[in-house]
Amino acid sequence: MNYKLVFHILGMILRVEAALMLPAMIIGFITGGGDGRAFLYAAAITAAVGQALVMLPGKNMKMQARDGFAAVALCWIVLSLFGALPYVFSGTLPNYVDAVFETVSGFTTTGATVLTFIEGQPLGILFWRAQTQWMGGMGVLVLALALVPKLGEGSVYLMRAESPGPIKSKLTPRLGDTAKILYSIYIGLTALEVICLRLAGMPWYDAVIHAFTSISTGGFSVRDASVAAYGSLLIEWIIIIFMFLSGVNFALLYFAILRNFRAVLESEELRSYTLMTVGASALIVADLAFHAASGPSVRTVTDSVFQVVTLMTTTGYMTYDYVLWPTFSQVVLVLVMFAGGCAGSTAGGIKQIRVVLLFKNLRREVQRILHPRVVTTIKSDGDRVDEPILSGITLFFFAYIFILLAGTLVVAWDDVGFTAAFTASLTCISNVGPAFDVLGPTSNFFSLSGVSKIVLSASMLLGRLEIMPLLLLLFPSLWKKR
């Protein structure tokens, strides 16, 4: 591994993180919540360490694939460790393990929390909490590439390791330009949602926070009751629309802006995502109407669609405690948590394209049994999918299930019950947020042991980086110098 180059990237990212602590610091000093100094100290430490890493002499800027994967994995770990400092210094979460859990949940846009009485927390802390989700939504390394594109051709390895989905593509020949386009769309959607929420009656501060955390599909709110606290159907539908858009591949949003609607309409992944959203919502509406022995109301439809979209896009807001819903509806929600949003979006989960290709591969294997001599190729949007990609998807699914079950085993040691343990592990590796049962949307993860929180934090990072970058850190050959 090219240590000096990796340290240079780590230092660059820490300097970016320190700079992005300043808005929360200013809010802390203005509101007098006592958290301004916490951000000042945290930013100073983060910037100092970052500058020291950048100033290391003798850098070789030539990057290989393993350097990029190692840099991405280490960057996310280091960002989380330093991003936890404001929580500790302000006394909001004096336990460092809790602070790291909250920070990892933020950067990975998971939304699982250990905070209690959210409305009583300093405004600077709540802003930082939401901002970590906004930073992590599109990708911290993508942000760095947009701000300081100095890594040349090697930057493709960073984007490949951080961007979700099995098939990577560039919108422009230059990766820095691609990063700028993606962040332009990201910022534009965020600003548009802020305006819409404000016009719907949400206060400016709340509107900014919820735009940050819905466009990033993170789910952190400034209210203990989440979006339900506003009691507004208009606000809920605005958030539904923006969550759904954020779960779409941003490349398709770019094509839509360019009026290349043919590319959008031909996307199999988008069709799968839309059909699953509509189908799951319809099933829950029918289930709730059946158990209520009455026709579906506007409130029932809104709650059903909201919870399907918020869990499928792995955002994790709440308008109703779905733990109280019938078992059938809860199972439907668990299934959409597995599937997640589209590749190239801010959503988590397995990703729709993988689900589509897994079923296509299954169908091909059945056809091989029936017709051994027939050669069948698998296509996506009219293009042939290479066999290494299909093998990688199968391996990813196996690793995903293995990590899910391992996490369930660890959390089960806390004796929270199978449902809570399983869905807690699922919600973390899928980057969703709330779980079920005693860890449902009206509760949090504070009661779990330190070991469970560390393991779930690792699961969140594995889910956000889609396993491989972090898994590579376990191989001794990665750490050998070239």
Side-chain angles (χ1 to χ4, degrees):
M1 184 169 68
N2 188 342
Y3 281 95
K4 291 180 180 179
L5 175 57
V6 171
F7 288 155
H8 177 80
I9 296 171
L10 288 175
M12 181 182 69
I13 290 298
L14 285 177
R15 290 194 306 186
V16 171
E17 182 178 35
L20 291 172
M21 287 183 184
L22 298 181
M25 182 188 73
I26 294 171
I27 292 172
F29 279 123
I30 291 175
T31 57
D35 51 338
R37 287 183 179 274
F39 282 104
L40 177 62
Y41 299 149
I45 293 171
T46 304
V49 175
Q51 186 63 24
L53 291 173
V54 168
M55 295 296 289
L56 288 175
K59 291 179 289 295
N60 175 7
M61 298 302 286
K62 187 176 181 180
M63 183 185 297
Q64 294 184 351
R66 65 176 186 174
D67 300 325
F69 277 75
V72 167
L74 292 173
C75 277
W76 280 76
I77 293 171
V78 169
L79 278 169
S80 300
L81 296 177
F82 281 87
L85 295 179
Y87 294 108
V88 177
F89 291 162
S90 65
T92 303
L93 290 171
N95 185 316
Y96 187 63
V97 171
D98 287 343
V100 169
F101 180 93
E102 195 77 13
T103 309
V104 171
S105 182
F107 278 120
T108 59
T109 72
T110 303
T113 184
V114 293
L115 276 180
T116 55
F117 188 38
I118 293 171
E119 293 175 27
Q121 303 301 329
L123 296 184
I125 287 291
L126 293 180
F127 186 87
W128 173 245
R129 187 169 172 259
Q131 189 179 332
T132 56
Q133 293 200 325
W134 193 84
M135 291 163 60
M138 184 58 66
V140 184
L141 274 295
V142 176
L143 175 60
L145 291 173
L147 295 175
V148 269
K150 294 182 179 179
L151 296 174
E153 296 179 359
S155 56
V156 69
Y157 298 122
L158 298 177
M159 195 172 227
R160 184 185 300 169
E162 190 177 53
S163 299
I167 304 173
K168 316 295 182 183
S169 60
K170 295 194 294 183
L171 300 179
T172 63
R174 296 182 61 183
L175 204 59
D177 292 338
T178 297
K180 289 176 182 177
I181 289 171
L182 292 174
Y183 257 96
S184 296
I185 298 172
Y186 194 52
I187 293 170
L189 284 174
T190 305
L192 182 59
E193 186 177 3
V194 170
I195 295 170
C196 291
L197 290 175
R198 182 68 190 95
L199 292 175
M202 188 179 281
W204 276 113
Y205 179 83
D206 294 28
V208 171
I209 296 297
H210 285 88
F212 275 4
T213 58
S214 54
I215 296 300
S216 65
T217 62
F220 279 155
S221 177
V222 291
R223 299 296 185 95
D224 289 304
S226 190
V227 178
Y230 300 97
S232 168
L233 289 174
L234 178 58
I235 287 176
E236 290 170 21
W237 277 103
I238 289 172
I239 293 176
I240 286 171
I241 292 169
F242 281 98
M243 285 191 299
F244 183 85
L245 288 174
S246 299
V248 175
N249 190 323
F250 272 61
L252 294 181
L253 297 181
Y254 177 63
F255 293 147
I257 293 171
L258 296 180
R259 298 186 179 181
N260 184 4
F261 298 114
R262 181 177 179 179
V264 176
L265 296 175
E266 288 180 351
S267 171
E268 291 181 291
E269 183 179 34
L270 180 59
R271 289 200 296 269
S272 171
Y273 174 60
T274 304
L275 288 173
M276 189 173 291
T277 301
V278 174
S281 300
L283 287 173
I284 292 178
V285 169
D287 187 40
L288 295 179
F290 174 78
H291 283 84
S294 61
S297 64
V298 175
R299 180 76 263 174
T300 300
V301 172
T302 302
D303 286 339
S304 301
V305 175
F306 191 98
Q307 291 307 145
V308 166
V309 173
T310 196
L311 293 184
M312 175 172 283
T313 61
T314 68
T315 307
Y317 287 136
M318 179 191 71
T319 58
Y320 190 86
D321 186 3
Y322 50 77
V323 172
L324 303 177
W325 281 354
T327 303
F328 179 82
S329 294
Q330 293 186 46
V331 171
V332 171
L333 292 179
V334 169
L335 293 177
V336 301
M337 287 168 66
F338 266 105
C342 299
S345 71
T346 60
I350 294 173
K351 302 292 187 302
Q352 293 289 328
I353 186 63
R354 286 196 179 93
V355 174
V356 171
L357 292 177
L358 279 170
F359 275 105
K360 285 187 175 184
N361 207 4
L362 175 63
R363 183 177 62 185
R364 183 177 68 170
E365 293 305 312
V366 172
Q367 289 176 340
R368 280 179 175 174
I369 295 173
L370 297 174
H371 310 286
R373 295 184 179 181
V374 174
V375 178
T376 306
T377 59
I378 293 177
K379 294 184 177 181
S380 176
D381 299 341
D383 296 325
R384 182 178 179 275
V385 180
D386 295 334
E387 291 301 320
I389 292 177
L390 295 172
S391 299
I393 291 173
T394 303
L395 289 173
F396 172 86
F397 185 72
F398 167 77
Y400 182 94
I401 297 299
F402 177 81
I403 295 167
L404 167 62
L405 296 177
T408 302
L409 189 64
V410 173
V411 178
W413 189 261
D414 288 339
D415 199 25
V416 293
F418 174 77
T419 300
F422 178 79
T423 55
S425 183
L426 173 61
T427 198
C428 286
I429 192 172
S430 291
N431 304 131
V432 178
F436 285 71
D437 204 6
V438 296
L439 300 176
T442 60
S443 185
N444 61 34
F445 289 65
F446 181 78
S447 61
L448 295 180
S449 65
V451 174
S452 291
K453 290 171 185 173
I454 292 172
V455 169
L456 292 179
S457 296
S459 293
M460 288 187 270
L461 287 169
L462 285 163
R464 174 58 184 83
L465 298 180
E466 301 203 323
I467 301 172
M468 281 305 168
L470 280 175
L471 191 61
L472 287 175
L473 296 181
L474 301 179
F475 286 79
S477 58
L478 175 73
W479 301 95
K480 294 180 181 179
K481 290 185 177 181
R482 281 187 281 176

